[in-house]
Amino acid sequence: MLRHLISAADLTRDDAVLILDTAEEMARVADRPIKKLPTLRGRTVVNLFFEDSTRTRISFEAAEKRLSADVINFTAKGSSVSKGESLKDTAQTLEAMGVDAVVIRHGASGAPYRLANSGWIDAAVINAGDGTHQHPTQALLDAFTMRRRLVGRDAGLGQDLGGRRITVVGDILHSRVARSNVDLLHTLGAQVTLVAPPTLVPVGVGSWPCEVSYDLDAVLPKSDAVMMLRVQRERMNAAFFPTEREYSRRYGLDGDRMARMPEHAVVMHPGPMVRGMEITAEVADSDRCTVVEQVANGVSIRMAVLYLLLGGNEPAVTHTRTEEKSDR
Amino acid sequence: MSKILIRGAKVLGHDPQDVLIDGETIAEVGTGLSADGAEVVEADGKVLLPGLVDLHTHLREPGREDSETVLTGTRAAASGGFTAVFAMANTFPVADTAGVVEQVYRLGRDHGYCDVQPIGAVTVGLEGRNLAELGAMHESAAGVTVFSDDGKCVHDAVIMRRALEYVKAFGGVVAQHAQEPRLTEGAEMNEGVVSAELGLGGWPAVAEESIIARDVLLAEHVGSRVHICHLSTAGSVEIVRWAKSRGIAVTAEVTPHHLLLTDELVRTYNPVYKVNPPLRTERDVLALREALADGTIDIVATDHAPHPHEDKDCEWAAAAMGMVGLETALAVVQETMVDTGLLTWAGVADRMSVKPAEIGRAEGHGRPVSAGEPANLTLVDTAYRGSVDPAGFASRSRNTPYEGRELPGRVTHTWLRGKATLVDGKLT
Ligand SMILES: [Zn+2]
């Protein structure tokens, strides 16, 4: 395994499958009355959030606590960071406190990479989303959700997503989720198609391992999973598309469109959803939509990543099974 | 004044000759010159060039003396073989009045390492709205002839047109930093394959090219000359080539870093590679080299842009744009142009001394190495190869993209009007 998790592109197929399999083990822990493992007892993890994201922070925090880590939450707002302290100084302060891992969310693309590679700290760095670059744990939890739904919870163990057709729809240009998913899904053998108005596809996308289409209706019948990305209303003001109504008419997912998908196909969304924009309430609330599962799976994936980066060679779950027995 | 005999120097790279300096002037050039009464410098096959002239330097004084001063910047210049530098106007306060340009000019003259020719701002405060007092800056002791809002583009077509027209009255030239502002909002690196992957804001080539296209047409229309700063794309080369073929009075510069480095380096997210205009692709680099060789691009200019360590020791988005360049310029030009066979040393003298002096009307600089000319000279050990160590820089800043990179060539001596400013690689 890697020492840091900065980009989904850094993972090999075997790394990724190992994370997904480990997350399945972690998920079983969540089904128990006592959801805690002693794996990271005595280790300190900092959640260093320069950007507001309660959902992601809570997910990491739950994962860290289930692994018995000591957790420090550091939010940039109102702290020395917003008063101009540099990322380097903040990192070195944390280093002095003896942290073992830093989970970092930052508005600037590349900030986690700099943190991991500039000699500022020794701790493991986990990217919890940087600018419009990467959000690798999101891609992993998405792949985990797809594998469960499309391959099967037990049948999926050891398996990748070979041959599955995944469609990602929305603001590709500004999306770290799209970049991470393209990288990881390709590594896992899936065929990825991006769908967006041409204004929201980056120049240079031609080198990505995926297809690009401007026509959602043509792609839907050939999709095993359709991932809808949030589209911020303010993009409209920068002329990325004319109006909200036109966007949802051309690229939004409603009940009629969902009916054109194969029966087994699922609808995914990394959240938060803008209902009425990229997705209608009917679709969001249907049982083909995996939004709630994705949230639960996020905790398992983050437990797996933390365990594999920090836990060393000890098995994560066997050692708890004994503990669990004694609890009963 | 004293006499100096430079013995056995390959003048402009040709067969070895002796050059005798008497006082501020070159007294004689020939073979077997008498050393009588002269201090002898054994050139031993090193290449002798006219003192280099940089049309694009940021000296940072007044206002940002933490990154560079006129003294440290001109010492860096002498160290890199320069005898004249043009100091950009984006200081604090902006060099948009006679007072500021005279101050910078005097500081350069008092320190004596390198002539400093201030560039005046085109518009008040570099804000692109009202013309600065261009005439007053020209008439001042600084005698400004080059005007630029560098760092910002004169984006308003009417203001640009007026500036081009206005400076004709005294032979001035506007040096444009070509960057269409709307197309580069939030821009952080060249827009292309690498920016798409890294998720950094794209800086499209067209943002540069569209301004150059507009400005060469404006220059043609009003019959003015225009200079394009730091050309960075293959498309810009084609536009300038086309403009020159039409007889438009356009000149253009390229920086050493755009001749060597590409946007692939940004994959490290190391802000030492963050620069304006951004590093482009391999295809652009090759087009720029070819254009410098065939004369489409007239000169090399460093865009020496010092920044304090903390402005680069951070995440990409927070970092300042720019690189220091005075002390590595000639080495990079040797690496990319001479050692590749694209340019002779005579060609280097033309692109780094003669032409920049001509464009900026720097009197006494860029002159032939012959009797009666001012003794502004640079001696280069072209056989040298070594890795760049910023700790040895004379500049106050260390933001070089070449740290640890092996480059050829080393300036050993620089003379400014007969006075040595650099001897055996050491500043005097
Ligand atoms: Zn500039």
Side-chain angles (χ1 to χ4, degrees):
Chain A
M1 262 304 280
L2 307 159
R3 209 168 90 69
H4 307 288
L5 181 59
I6 305 299
S7 166
D10 299 337
L11 297 169
T12 64
R13 184 236 173 232
D14 290 349
D15 287 338
V17 170
L18 174 65
I19 295 171
L20 301 188
D21 289 353
T22 307
E24 279 294 2
E25 289 186 60
M26 298 297 177
R28 289 195 192 102
V29 175
D31 297 338
R32 298 174 190 169
I34 296 184
K35 297 180 169 49
K36 228 167 157 141
L37 297 176
T39 318
L40 297 185
R41 189 169 288 159
R43 317 293 294 276
T44 305
V45 180
V46 177
N47 297 317
L48 182 58
F49 275 57
F50 290 85
E51 219 183 45
D52 276 341
S53 175
T54 311
R55 303 161 61 98
T56 305
R57 189 181 54 72
I58 287 175
S59 178
F60 268 104
E61 198 175 339
E64 290 148 9
K65 288 184 168 163
R66 280 186 199 172
L67 292 171
S68 306
D70 294 325
V71 179
I72 300 173
N73 284 312
F74 188 104
T75 309
K77 261 200 180 150
S79 73
S80 53
V81 173
S82 57
K83 295 180 192 98
E85 184 178 284
S86 71
L87 175 60
K88 180 186 176 183
D89 290 338
T90 307
Q92 289 182 337
T93 304
L94 298 174
E95 179 82 347
M97 292 172 185
V99 307
D100 298 291
V102 178
V103 173
I104 176 175
R105 169 81 149 222
H106 202 290
S109 298
Y113 183 96
R114 284 285 280 164
L115 187 62
N117 292 289
S118 298
W120 297 340
I121 55 166
D122 288 329
V125 176
I126 298 171
N127 182 1
D130 63 325
T132 53
H133 177 222
Q134 283 275 330
H135 194 358
T137 58
Q138 177 70 44
L140 285 161
L141 77 87
D142 290 337
F144 181 86
T145 306
M146 289 176 211
R147 195 177 76 167
R148 269 198 173 179
R149 283 286 196 125
L150 303 175
V151 187
R153 183 171 180 155
D154 295 319
L157 289 174
Q159 302 297 307
D160 57 24
L161 292 168
R164 310 292 157 166
R165 300 157 302 173
I166 314 298
T167 300
V168 182
V169 188
D171 185 353
I172 309 297
L173 178 63
H174 301 96
S175 176
R176 53 193 169 212
V177 176
R179 280 174 179 77
S180 309
N181 264 292
V182 169
D183 290 334
L184 184 67
L185 291 170
H186 173 71
T187 300
L188 289 172
Q191 296 164 23
V192 184
T193 303
L194 303 176
V195 180
T199 45
L200 291 174
V201 177
V203 166
V205 77
S207 69
W208 292 11
C210 62
E211 300 292 314
V212 176
S213 169
Y214 307 133
D215 183 355
L216 180 57
D217 290 317
V219 177
L220 286 176
K222 299 176 286 184
S223 304
D224 298 310
V226 177
M227 184 184 303
M228 304 305 296
L229 300 177
R230 184 164 66 116
V231 177
Q232 293 176 326
R233 290 196 166 91
E234 49 281 21
R235 302 285 177 220
M236 200 166 75
N237 304 326
F240 285 104
F241 50 87
T243 61
E244 200 177 322
R245 202 177 48 190
E246 172 152 327
Y247 181 86
S248 51
R249 200 163 51 221
R250 291 177 65 83
Y251 297 99
L253 192 60
D254 60 11
D256 288 348
R257 281 205 167 110
M258 187 166 66
R260 273 178 231 149
M261 291 164 47
E263 230 165 90
H264 68 274
V266 293
V267 176
M268 304 179 66
H269 198 299
M273 294 185 280
V274 187
R275 289 171 186 246
M277 182 76 170
E278 73 269 6
I279 194 163
T280 61
E282 182 193 355
V283 176
D285 298 331
S286 84
D287 57 7
R288 300 177 75 170
C289 183
T290 62
V291 173
V292 179
E293 275 167 69
Q294 285 170 268
V295 173
N297 293 342
V299 178
S300 304
I301 278 290
R302 286 161 183 139
M303 287 173 76
V305 167
L306 285 159
Y307 165 71
L308 290 168
L309 288 185
L310 291 180
N313 302 318
E314 302 155 45
V317 179
T318 36
H319 146 68
T320 40
R321 275 182 190 143
T322 37
E323 187 179 70
E324 190 185 40
K325 274 175 205 151
S326 62
D327 285 343
R328 275 184 187 163
Chain B
M1 260 190 94
S2 59
K3 288 185 180 179
I4 300 165
L5 181 69
I6 308 168
R7 193 145 60 192
K10 293 180 180 167
V11 177
L12 308 191
H14 303 310
D15 289 341
Q17 283 190 301
D18 303 339
V19 175
L20 182 67
I21 301 172
D22 187 358
E24 298 192 352
T25 325
I26 298 172
E28 212 180 338
V29 179
T31 46
L33 297 189
S34 161
D36 196 24
E39 176 198 333
V40 177
V41 174
E42 295 292 352
D44 206 14
K46 290 175 193 159
V47 170
L48 188 68
L49 301 173
L52 307 181
V53 177
D54 188 17
L55 200 63
H56 194 143
T57 306
H58 296 274
L59 291 178
R60 303 292 189 224
E61 187 175 0
R64 284 307 302 266
E65 291 83 354
D66 58 327
S67 50
E68 197 79 286
T69 63
V70 174
L71 177 61
T72 59
T74 52
R75 282 169 63 87
S79 199
F82 291 87
T83 52
V85 296
F86 284 74
M88 274 298 173
N90 61 339
T91 48
F92 303 94
V94 170
D96 58 3
T97 61
V100 179
V101 293
E102 282 185 352
Q103 180 201 352
V104 172
Y105 173 77
R106 290 219 169 86
L107 282 169
R109 208 179 47 176
D110 294 348
H111 297 315
Y113 281 98
C114 175
D115 286 349
V116 175
Q117 181 53 60
I119 291 173
V122 176
T123 64
V124 175
L126 309 175
E127 282 176 354
R129 283 193 287 273
N130 304 300
L131 286 187
E133 290 191 349
L134 309 177
M137 288 189 274
H138 176 71
E139 285 157 19
S140 75
V144 177
T145 54
V146 182
F147 298 90
S148 182
D149 278 0
D150 184 59
K152 291 187 176 176
C153 180
V154 182
H155 61 89
D156 184 308
V158 172
I159 299 291
M160 186 61 183
R161 174 200 167 140
R162 301 283 185 249
L164 286 169
E165 286 178 303
Y166 191 81
V167 300
K168 274 201 293 186
F170 41 86
V173 64
V174 176
Q176 175 69 295
H177 170 114
Q179 181 190 349
E180 210 291 318
R182 286 279 286 148
L183 283 171
T184 50
E185 281 171 18
E188 298 179 282
M189 70 169 294
N190 179 51
E191 184 167 39
V193 167
V194 182
S195 68
E197 274 178 48
L198 297 185
L200 290 173
W203 192 312
V206 63
E208 173 174 313
E209 293 155 2
S210 57
I211 292 291
I212 297 175
R214 181 198 75 178
D215 288 353
V216 295
L217 292 171
L218 282 173
E220 178 179 48
H221 181 63
V222 299
S224 295
R225 60 186 183 120
V226 63
H227 178 74
I228 311 298
C229 294
H230 41 53
L231 212 103
S232 72
T233 77
S236 298
V237 167
E238 285 179 45
I239 294 163
V240 170
R241 192 173 281 140
W242 171 85
K244 286 189 167 182
S245 76
R246 268 170 83 99
I248 297 170
V250 57
T251 53
E253 72 190 33
V254 63
T255 70
H257 46 272
H258 288 110
L259 291 171
L260 182 60
L261 309 176
T262 70
D263 64 351
E264 289 291 330
L265 291 163
V266 182
R267 291 184 188 281
T268 61
Y269 286 104
N270 186 341
V272 79
Y273 302 114
K274 187 174 176 182
V275 65
N276 177 352
L279 299 178
R280 305 287 188 181
T281 67
E282 183 76 22
R283 182 179 154 262
D284 296 303
V285 165
L286 296 176
L288 293 168
R289 290 183 188 181
E290 192 193 317
L292 182 64
D294 73 19
T296 302
I297 295 176
D298 302 82
I299 66 168
V300 174
T302 67
D303 196 4
H304 177 82
H307 290 291
H309 184 63
E310 59 270 24
D311 288 356
K312 288 288 190 180
D313 194 27
C314 56
E315 59 275 23
W316 185 270
M321 287 184 283
M323 304 170 168
V324 291
L326 285 169
E327 292 170 83
T328 48
L330 192 59
V332 174
V333 171
Q334 183 180 337
E335 171 90 349
T336 57
M337 301 299 295
V338 181
D339 292 356
T340 53
L342 288 168
L343 213 56
T344 61
W345 283 106
V348 172
D350 180 72
R351 309 300 195 274
M352 296 186 77
S353 179
V354 178
K355 288 277 167 55
E358 233 171 70
I359 294 166
R361 310 274 200 257
E363 262 178 60
H365 291 278
R367 302 293 306 162
V369 181
S370 54
E373 296 289 349
N376 294 317
L377 296 166
T378 294
L379 192 60
V380 194
D381 177 3
T382 58
Y384 175 89
R385 272 197 89 85
S387 70
V388 176
D389 178 14
F393 282 177
S395 170
R396 179 161 284 184
S397 291
R398 302 279 181 271
N399 52 306
T400 174
Y402 311 117
E403 179 168 5
R405 185 188 278 259
E406 198 184 284
L407 288 174
R410 192 171 73 104
V411 176
T412 61
H413 293 71
T414 309
W415 290 274
L416 176 63
R417 281 182 293 279
K419 179 182 166 275
T421 53
L422 188 79
V423 175
D424 290 326
K426 290 184 187 68
L427 289 159
T428 56

